[in-house]
Amino acid sequence: MSPLTLILTCLAGWLAVGLAGVFFARRFFFVARILFPAGAALAIGVAAAALASIFSDPETAILPLGLPGLPFHLRLDALSAYFLCLLGAVAAGVSIYAAGYLRRREGSATPGQQCLLYHLFLASMCVVLLADDAYVFMVAWESMALSSYFLVTSDHRIAEIRRAGYLYLIVAHIGAIGILLSFGAMSGGEADGYTFAAMRTHELGGWLQSAAFLLALAGFGAKAGLLPLHVWLPEAHPAAPSPVSALMSAVMLKTAIYGLLRVAFDLLPEQQWWWGALLLGLGLATAVFGVVFSTVQSDMKRLLAYSSIENVGLIFAGVGLSLVFAANAMPLLGALALTAALYHCVNHAFFKSLLFLTTGSVLHATGQRNLGRLGGLIHPMPWVAWLALVGVIASAGLPPLNGFVSEWLLLQSFLFTPQLPHGYLNMLLPVAAGAVALIAALAGFAMVKFFGVVFLGQPREEALAQAHDAGTLERIGLVWLAAGCLALGVLPNFVIATLDPVTQLLVGSGFANSAGKGNWLLLAPISEERASYNALIFLGGIVACTGAVFVAVRSLFHGRLRRVDTWDCGHPVAGGRTQDTAEGFGQPIRQVFAPFFRITREHPSPFDREPHYRIVVEDPLWHLLYLPLARLVEFGTRLVGLLQRGRIAIYLMFSFVTLLALLMFTTR
Amino acid sequence: MDIDALLPQFAAQLFELFAALALAPLLTGWVNQWRARLQGRTPPPLLLPYHTLMKLFGKEPLLAHNASSLFRVAPYLIFSCMALAAAIVPTLSSELLFAPAADAIALVGLFALARVFIALAGMDIGTAFGSLGARREMLIGFLAEPALLMVFFTASVISGSTSLATIVDTLAHREFHIYPSLAFAGVAFTMVSIAENGRVPVDNPATHLELTMIHEAMILEYSGRHLALIEWAASLKLFAYSCLGIALFFPFGIAQTLGPGALAIAVALMVGKLALGGFLLALIETLSAKMRVFRTPEFLGSAFLLAVLAVLVHLLLEGSR
Amino acid sequence: MNAWLSTLPGLPFAGQLINLCAAIMLLIAFAMLSQRRISSLIRLFALQGAVLCLSTAVVAQSTGQDHLWWSALITLLLKVLLLPWVLRRLVQRLSVKWDVETLINIPTTMLVGIGLVIVAFNVAQPISELAGTITRSTIGIALACVLLAFLMMITRSKAVPQVVGFMSMENGLFFAATSATYGMPMVIELGVALDVLVGMVVFGVFFFHIREKFDSLDIRHVEEKARHD
């Protein structure tokens, strides 16, 4: 059986699982404990088949589905296979976790409905990655948007969630229009121009090509959360159930990146360097914005959502850099930057889904999403806490886990910037490298805040002491993802070898041969003298050193220990209220980056009986861009509303006038 | 690579690691002595840090009731991070076994890893001071880390490599050449290392005043062997930063071969340079006044921007060659 | 011109020294931009003058143009000794110690400064290709110094830092002249030096007048006055 057939079989399996969920909607145990694990097994099948097909030639298939004369064109090449692999590997962990996470009566949707939508969501993302014509791409893209919309609003009795879902739907549709127009521009107006194969051969004029790129950027950027189309992301992610947030953040955002890569590198024949510069600038702006906002959030899922924006920005920056290199005929460097971006895709997928799932466990154990009401959860929930620590370290971009590897590669590709033939760009790239470094460091701040406030310290509420750890299935899912973070961190050369066909396909060069150079563990793009990093020795060094110190201290001195009350410099410790709140921890950032925020403060007056201090930190873009836009749209609709008089005679008159005008126009 | 080539590298690596472990408290003692002398106080004994460490290791650690296992693991992790960092920096020789495993970026990552763990440990007990210290430490970290990275970038674009060994080889052993960009990088590096090691204009290692303390606030709850490890790690960090400064800006004399003669010269030169560096640090600390915490971002932001400028200056003045 | 310069022995090293001086000039320009204290500002200004003097001397030594020795001497006397002394006296007499307020906060100013440096480097690229000297890349730095001094004048609200900025701008111009074309004719240099001196005197008189009138050296008062008139 060929890989594509296998993947399609798994897809059919997901649909079957989803339908079974509807048929056996009443039987909770069957849906949660049988169907979801089955979905996870199918996901592993998808990942394995995709991995097997990365190194083989592209495979195509035409499915006799859809409208007559418009069959589904599917194609499995290295780029699709890489993203399918990501999807399968992450979805396996998330599905197992979801099997344990599902509750009998939670939210408004029944487990059966959630099962259907969840697997539909997975299947449609899969088809997006496989699509080989604009038609099936758009169908899959829209069903992905719709199924995720229903998943986000599965708790639709809460007004806030409905609002978040609505916003998500609007932005998703604006994005879809952009993508559709971009495909239109690329099809060249021919009858069968809608297949990707035809688009690849079209010779577009200069401006049409750029227009297609910009439209695709807007469309995919809206889905990925690129500035300024990011507003839906921090609303929708917290609203959705945690496994869905995990999937959206880990996989759905990556389908947008896949789409942009497909359009920019594959479908458009030649790249302009300024596309890359634009993408780099936008990506870095998005990343800085995302990370700065993530440090001041007090809702744990919003914090992670903003962190997703940051990571997407970094990925876009890598793609942009790669475009700049590719357009200047420097394929090797283009491959390096692209490898960094693609590597970060899979890294982000693993650590962010891991973190979102741990917030799910915390949410179930405590019923709290607000950081200000959590704390000290490492004691009742050690499994979740220690696994979250893995995600936190990976997400903060620290060695020896995976986040560090891709940031290392990205920084390397900035560093290897040779003399590009553009004066300003050449000078701005070091500044951009500085921005990347700043972003990585700020991500560390956000992650320390997340972990420290949720899991460390004293519980801020009394009820937290009764929190329970995650169940077995949840633990399996979390361990799978954490193991992925570790494996991706210590075996980078394996991933880079896997990425080699992808970069060969997109920029015509790879560096798997020079990266490995016989030493399977040493990561050294270009050459060992220029830069090298060996994660396994690094990890081994830390572990060995820690162990040696531990043994040495115990054997040379002693291992005694006495438990006492907290000292705290002699201050009396009164419960958890003296610790930093989430707002308090983010205060330095709020002060340093004050111009980024729209801050409203309410100070208590000295005479208040019950003094209240309130601070609201908002996204200034919402007020500067979206609200005026909404007002404009409202104004426009009111103008149109003037036509609506509610009398049939007037409506008939409109039709009559239109008819007359058309007659005069056509018979002229 | 064959075993014959690896063995001397391994020996040099071990020698450097143990030299760092042994000498780091001495450097701290030396700086403290000079600080006292310059401020007109009677200097403490030079070997006082060793006594303190021994005393602390012998004592029984007191652990708060709600301390988690992370709190107990953190000192060991922080210590080994700093020991590894001191081992990566080419202090005596640029032919080190560990050199290809970690380059300059990984070194920054290592410092950041230690910082994250010390901040998390500070938050673990759940006291006001602990979280205050953690917050301030991360505030310093998020600006110092990119600044340090940009300093390394300057050295990397000069030498075309992020590997510390190659950087030192380029700067020390090729034909003499003035690099103006290193002037910028040097200023930025000095500012960063002052902030990172909790030295005077940014933090004061000798204070427990709640308004000003940063590093001390995080480790308030530590005692006994845990505190000893953290103190030792702080000394190692100072040592590693001093060696980094030497390696980047005054690298002359770092051994390129692994002969005992070359190593002996390298040791003698290094001790001399460290002594001078320690004196200069004490001088800076004496001459400047402690800043408000919210001046720190300005201070470090300037360091960061200077380091970015260093790269730009390199592109303009040295790039064409 | 290029041919005989490159035959001189030891010039590459002199070129390196000039480059180093250029970098230090720029560094001092940034230090001035981020300095809040007036006394430190004056000290930095003197230091910048000293670096300028040094680089002029290096150029004089390596090219053998004697009149540059004179201009180095003038720089030393005027910018390292006389003007800082006058400024210090002024500050003492006027008893202004601090310049706490800047109109824009300092990291932002420095960020703008970096932008200016990038612009200056790129703008100077075509000019420096015209110049025949081997240290021509310093033109970009000199231009950056001028722009940064200008920026400092814009962002400060007190009169003394503005004057320091003005004079530091002149330093940048002078540096461009010596390093790029190996000095202007002596007459022009003397004229410029005189200009700065006269400017200084005028500013000195001006300070006292503002102080008498408004009891402060904050130029915003003058602006208000102008608006009311």
Side-chain angles (χ1 to χ4, degrees):
Chain A
M1 199 152 64
S2 78
L4 184 56
T5 327
L6 193 62
I7 290 173
L8 289 176
T9 317
C10 291
L11 271 181
W14 271 337
L15 291 181
V17 166
L19 288 176
V22 178
F23 281 120
F24 301 100
R26 297 286 174 79
R27 298 166 71 174
F28 171 78
F29 185 85
F30 177 73
V31 169
R33 304 287 188 267
I34 307 285
L35 288 182
F36 272 92
L42 291 169
I44 291 181
V46 169
L51 193 60
S53 71
I54 279 190
F55 296 98
S56 48
D57 288 332
E59 196 183 341
T60 53
I62 298 177
L63 294 191
L65 294 168
L67 297 175
L70 282 177
F72 281 7
H73 293 78
L74 300 182
R75 185 160 180 269
L76 180 67
D77 61 4
L79 182 63
S80 307
Y82 178 73
F83 278 91
L84 278 169
C85 199
L86 182 160
L87 184 149
V90 172
V94 178
S95 293
I96 283 282
Y97 177 90
Y101 180 84
L102 230 55
R103 293 290 183 275
R104 207 176 287 273
R105 265 175 289 278
E106 190 184 64
S108 327
T110 64
Q113 287 165 338
Q114 288 199 21
C115 177
L116 173 68
L117 289 167
Y118 179 91
H119 290 100
L120 207 59
F121 182 42
L122 281 179
S124 53
M125 286 194 288
C126 224
V127 177
V128 165
L129 298 175
L130 284 171
D132 196 36
D133 66 52
Y135 166 59
V136 62
F137 188 93
M138 289 315 293
V139 169
W141 188 261
E142 288 294 327
S143 41
M144 177 177 91
L146 280 178
S147 51
S148 56
Y149 164 75
F150 285 118
L151 283 169
V152 166
T153 54
S154 58
D155 215 354
H156 58 75
R157 298 227 171 80
I158 301 172
E160 211 175 288
I161 291 181
R162 282 202 305 275
R163 186 176 159 270
Y166 183 61
L167 185 66
Y168 170 48
L169 204 60
I170 291 177
V171 179
H173 276 87
I174 293 173
I177 293 171
I179 298 169
L180 198 60
L181 289 176
S182 165
F183 282 143
M186 281 186 293
S187 72
E190 288 169 33
D192 62 344
Y194 72 100
T195 62
F196 286 175
M199 288 180 195
R200 279 187 198 103
T201 58
H202 281 155
E203 289 289 328
L204 295 179
W207 70 269
L208 196 60
Q209 187 169 280
S210 295
F213 172 78
L214 290 179
L215 283 168
L217 177 60
F220 292 119
K223 190 55 122 192
L226 203 62
L227 217 63
L229 294 167
H230 64 281
V231 279
W232 64 272
L233 213 150
E235 305 295 328
H237 278 63
S242 291
V244 177
S245 322
L247 268 193
M248 282 171 74
S249 183
V251 188
M252 193 181 77
L253 303 186
K254 305 304 176 309
T255 60
I257 287 157
Y258 161 83
L260 192 73
L261 286 173
R262 178 66 78 195
V263 170
F265 285 96
D266 190 20
L267 300 185
L268 290 171
E270 54 180 296
Q271 288 91 34
Q272 311 284 327
W273 72 268
W274 64 266
W275 298 355
L278 176 73
L279 211 51
L280 180 64
L282 266 180
L284 286 179
T286 307
V288 172
F289 178 90
V291 75
V292 167
F293 269 82
S294 83
T295 53
V296 297
Q297 296 309 312
S298 39
D299 176 324
M300 58 179 176
K301 288 179 89 173
R302 277 176 85 95
L303 187 150
L304 293 180
Y306 273 112
S307 155
S308 290
I309 295 182
E310 168 228 328
N311 283 290
V312 161
L314 279 181
I315 294 169
F316 270 100
V319 173
L321 198 60
S322 163
L323 260 176
V324 171
F325 287 136
N328 281 307
M330 298 170 180
L332 192 65
L333 288 171
L336 180 59
L338 193 62
T339 304
L342 287 170
Y343 204 147
H344 202 66
C345 281
V346 64
N347 287 343
H348 177 240
F350 270 90
F351 64 68
K352 196 46 66 67
S353 52
L354 174 60
L355 288 177
F356 265 120
L357 294 184
T358 57
T359 63
S361 296
V362 170
L363 196 59
H364 266 176
T366 63
Q368 282 298 342
R369 256 176 31 200
N370 190 338
L371 291 169
R373 296 176 185 278
L374 293 166
L377 288 177
I378 195 170
H379 300 288
M381 310 176 75
W383 273 87
V384 175
W386 284 98
L387 291 170
L389 187 64
V390 172
V392 158
I393 290 176
S395 179
L398 296 175
L401 292 182
N402 58 353
F404 177 75
V405 182
S406 44
E407 271 167 22
W408 189 86
L409 283 170
L410 189 60
L411 285 171
Q412 289 292 347
S413 52
F414 272 106
L415 196 69
F416 285 110
T417 315
Q419 302 290 321
L420 284 167
H422 314 285
Y424 279 96
L425 192 63
N426 224 349
M427 294 259 164
L428 282 171
L429 280 177
V431 183
V436 171
L438 182 68
I439 291 159
L442 273 170
F445 191 105
M447 284 301 132
V448 166
K449 171 175 169 173
F450 171 75
F451 189 79
V453 176
V454 174
F455 292 107
L456 300 179
Q458 301 180 42
R460 290 180 177 76
E461 301 274 314
E462 276 171 20
L464 295 183
Q466 274 78 53
H468 55 85
D469 209 345
T472 318
L473 281 170
E474 293 180 31
R475 279 182 208 172
I476 294 174
L478 292 175
V479 167
W480 167 267
L481 294 169
C485 287
L486 189 66
L488 288 169
V490 296
L491 297 170
N493 275 3
F494 173 73
V495 185
I496 286 175
T498 319
L499 276 168
D500 195 52
V502 185
T503 53
Q504 290 281 4
L505 175 77
L506 296 187
V507 292
S509 173
F511 61 91
N513 293 329
S514 61
K517 262 207 337 198
N519 193 343
W520 190 237
L521 295 172
L522 189 71
L523 175 62
I526 322 296
S527 79
E528 197 183 318
E529 283 74 41
R530 295 204 67 161
S532 58
Y533 165 64
N534 188 332
L536 209 59
I537 289 190
F538 200 93
L539 178 67
I542 291 179
V543 170
C545 202
T546 312
V549 173
F550 188 77
V551 172
V553 169
R554 302 248 155 177
S555 52
L556 287 178
F557 300 95
H558 59 91
R560 293 196 303 275
L561 193 77
R562 188 147 41 106
R563 290 277 182 175
V564 290
D565 286 337
T566 309
W567 176 48
D568 198 23
C569 242
H571 286 251
V573 178
R577 301 305 293 267
T578 54
Q579 306 168 87
D580 265 12
T581 55
E583 289 81 8
F585 201 87
Q587 186 259 357
I589 305 285
R590 225 165 46 224
Q591 180 144 350
V592 175
F593 291 94
F596 273 67
F597 307 115
R598 187 189 157 91
I599 302 177
T600 30
R601 275 200 191 84
E602 283 174 26
H603 291 289
S605 96
F607 307 105
D608 279 351
R609 278 280 167 78
E610 288 176 354
H612 276 286
Y613 171 77
R614 206 169 70 92
I615 181 160
V616 184
V617 179
E618 284 173 302
D619 185 347
L621 278 174
W622 185 251
H623 292 265
L624 290 176
L625 185 69
Y626 283 87
L627 289 186
L629 216 69
R631 252 175 255 130
L632 198 71
V633 170
E634 209 181 337
F635 179 71
T637 47
R638 208 169 291 136
L639 279 187
V640 176
L642 290 180
L643 298 176
Q644 194 178 11
R645 294 287 170 176
R647 283 183 57 191
I648 290 180
I650 292 180
Y651 292 144
L652 283 175
M653 196 187 73
F654 287 148
S655 311
F656 182 66
V657 170
T658 315
L659 185 66
L660 272 184
L662 281 177
L663 277 174
M664 276 151 71
F665 181 74
T666 48
T667 55
R668 193 172 46 133
Chain B
M1 265 193 274
D2 54 326
I3 297 296
D4 290 344
L6 277 179
L7 206 60
Q9 284 191 2
F10 185 66
Q13 183 70 76
L14 269 188
F15 177 66
E16 192 176 305
L17 179 63
F18 283 106
L21 288 179
L23 289 181
L26 189 67
L27 181 66
T28 311
W30 173 256
V31 175
N32 286 346
Q33 259 199 340
W34 270 106
R35 236 158 71 112
R37 249 177 235 145
L38 288 169
Q39 292 165 359
R41 292 185 276 124
T42 315
L46 185 62
L47 300 182
L48 184 65
Y50 294 100
H51 289 289
T52 316
L53 285 183
M54 288 306 286
K55 189 181 74 187
L56 285 174
F57 271 122
K59 282 195 170 189
E60 189 181 45
L62 304 179
L63 205 62
H65 286 301
N66 66 335
S68 72
S69 36
L70 187 133
F71 188 78
R72 295 173 61 184
V73 174
Y76 296 98
L77 256 174
I78 293 160
F79 180 81
S80 60
C81 281
M82 287 310 162
L84 279 186
I88 292 171
V89 180
T91 318
L92 299 171
S93 157
S94 53
E95 290 283 313
L96 294 173
L97 183 70
F98 216 68
D103 64 347
I105 303 176
L107 181 65
V108 177
L110 201 55
F111 284 132
L113 187 67
R115 184 196 346 272
V116 163
F117 270 99
I118 204 168
L120 288 179
M123 294 177 84
D124 186 62
I125 307 285
T127 60
F129 281 134
S131 46
L132 171 144
R135 160 166 39 104
R136 289 179 177 171
E137 173 77 8
M138 293 314 288
L139 166 71
I140 287 176
F142 92 79
L143 282 163
E145 203 180 301
L148 183 62
L149 209 50
M150 290 315 284
V151 170
F152 284 139
F153 260 47
T154 316
S156 307
V157 287
I158 288 174
S159 57
S161 163
T162 56
S163 150
L164 284 165
T166 317
I167 291 176
V168 170
D169 274 345
T170 313
L171 296 179
H173 302 303
R174 286 204 198 142
E175 127 187 54
F176 178 73
H177 195 285
I178 298 179
Y179 295 102
S181 52
L182 283 184
F184 284 81
V187 175
F189 181 78
T190 313
M191 291 164 90
V192 169
S193 33
I194 283 173
E196 281 274 38
N197 288 292
R199 292 286 151 172
V200 150
V202 176
D203 187 8
N204 189 349
T207 183
H208 279 107
L209 193 65
E210 64 192 65
L211 285 176
T212 57
M213 64 177 168
I214 300 174
H215 181 77
E216 291 298 319
M218 284 184 297
I219 61 171
L220 270 182
E221 299 301 321
Y222 275 118
S223 53
R225 56 172 177 271
H226 299 142
L227 185 61
L229 283 172
I230 286 187
E231 295 282 342
W232 201 350
S235 295
L236 274 170
K237 190 175 185 183
L238 182 65
F239 186 82
Y241 265 91
S242 314
C243 290
L244 260 180
I246 290 170
L248 290 179
F249 305 107
F250 309 99
F252 319 106
I254 292 179
Q256 205 172 14
T257 52
L258 288 173
L263 272 183
I265 295 172
V267 170
L269 270 173
M270 185 196 68
V271 170
K273 285 190 256 185
L274 280 178
L276 190 66
F279 169 72
L280 287 178
L281 178 63
L283 193 66
I284 293 176
E285 281 203 88
T286 311
L287 288 180
S288 44
K290 168 91 176 60
M291 282 186 281
R292 277 167 58 208
V293 170
F294 272 104
R295 280 284 150 82
T296 322
E298 214 166 75
F299 179 79
L300 285 171
S302 307
F304 177 44
L305 295 178
L306 280 178
V308 173
L309 261 180
V311 185
L312 291 181
V313 166
H314 169 79
L315 286 183
L316 184 78
L317 289 181
E318 299 147 29
S320 51
R321 266 190 286 276
Chain C
M1 191 170 155
N2 212 0
W4 67 265
L5 274 178
S6 54
T7 54
L8 281 173
L11 200 63
F13 183 67
Q16 288 181 27
L17 266 185
I18 293 172
N19 275 350
L20 184 66
C21 286
I24 294 175
M25 289 273 292
L26 189 64
L27 195 58
I28 294 173
F30 265 95
M32 285 166 103
L33 204 59
S34 62
Q35 188 53 256
R36 290 164 191 271
R37 228 184 276 193
I38 287 182
S39 59
S40 313
L41 203 60
I42 295 172
R43 210 172 298 141
L44 283 171
F45 172 69
L47 197 64
Q48 202 180 30
V51 174
L52 185 62
C53 169
L54 184 72
S55 82
T56 316
V58 170
V59 175
Q61 162 70 29
S62 59
T63 62
Q65 302 199 9
D66 287 339
H67 77 271
L68 281 180
W69 285 110
W70 286 107
S71 59
L73 190 67
I74 293 173
T75 311
L76 181 70
L77 289 178
L78 199 65
K79 286 176 188 152
V80 185
L81 302 175
L82 183 66
L83 286 181
W85 180 75
V86 172
L87 277 172
R88 224 168 271 140
R89 281 282 310 260
L90 260 178
V91 168
Q92 273 171 11
R93 290 275 294 281
L94 298 167
S95 63
V96 272
K97 288 235 171 59
W98 288 88
D99 184 43
V100 183
E101 298 164 76
T102 50
L103 296 179
I104 313 172
N105 72 5
I106 282 171
T108 319
T109 321
M110 291 197 61
L111 208 59
V112 176
I114 287 205
L116 284 182
V117 169
I118 293 177
V119 171
F121 285 8
N122 280 294
V123 168
Q125 203 92 32
I127 307 175
S128 48
E129 262 148 39
L130 288 177
T133 56
I134 46 159
T135 53
R136 60 193 178 196
S137 43
T138 49
I139 293 182
I141 293 209
L143 185 59
C145 287
V146 172
L147 293 180
L148 287 174
F150 214 136
L151 182 66
M152 194 181 103
M153 288 178 72
I154 295 171
T155 54
R156 298 305 167 98
S157 60
K158 292 267 165 57
V160 177
Q162 289 192 329
V163 172
V164 175
F166 170 75
M167 287 182 305
S168 142
M169 205 154 93
E170 203 270 339
N171 277 351
L173 279 178
F174 197 82
F175 184 70
T178 48
S179 62
T181 64
Y182 296 144
M184 296 176 276
M186 199 62 202
V187 185
I188 302 182
E189 270 169 33
L190 281 177
V192 171
L194 203 66
D195 262 3
V196 173
L197 206 60
V198 171
M200 186 63 229
V201 173
V202 172
F203 271 118
V205 175
F206 180 60
F207 286 159
F208 280 100
H209 275 276
I210 314 180
R211 234 259 301 239
E212 267 173 32
K213 203 111 186 172
F214 302 102
D215 234 13
S216 154
L217 270 185
D218 200 322
I219 48 149
R220 277 177 285 192
H221 297 281
V222 189
E223 288 161 8
E224 264 170 43
K225 180 81 171 67
R227 231 175 289 134
H228 288 305
D229 284 347

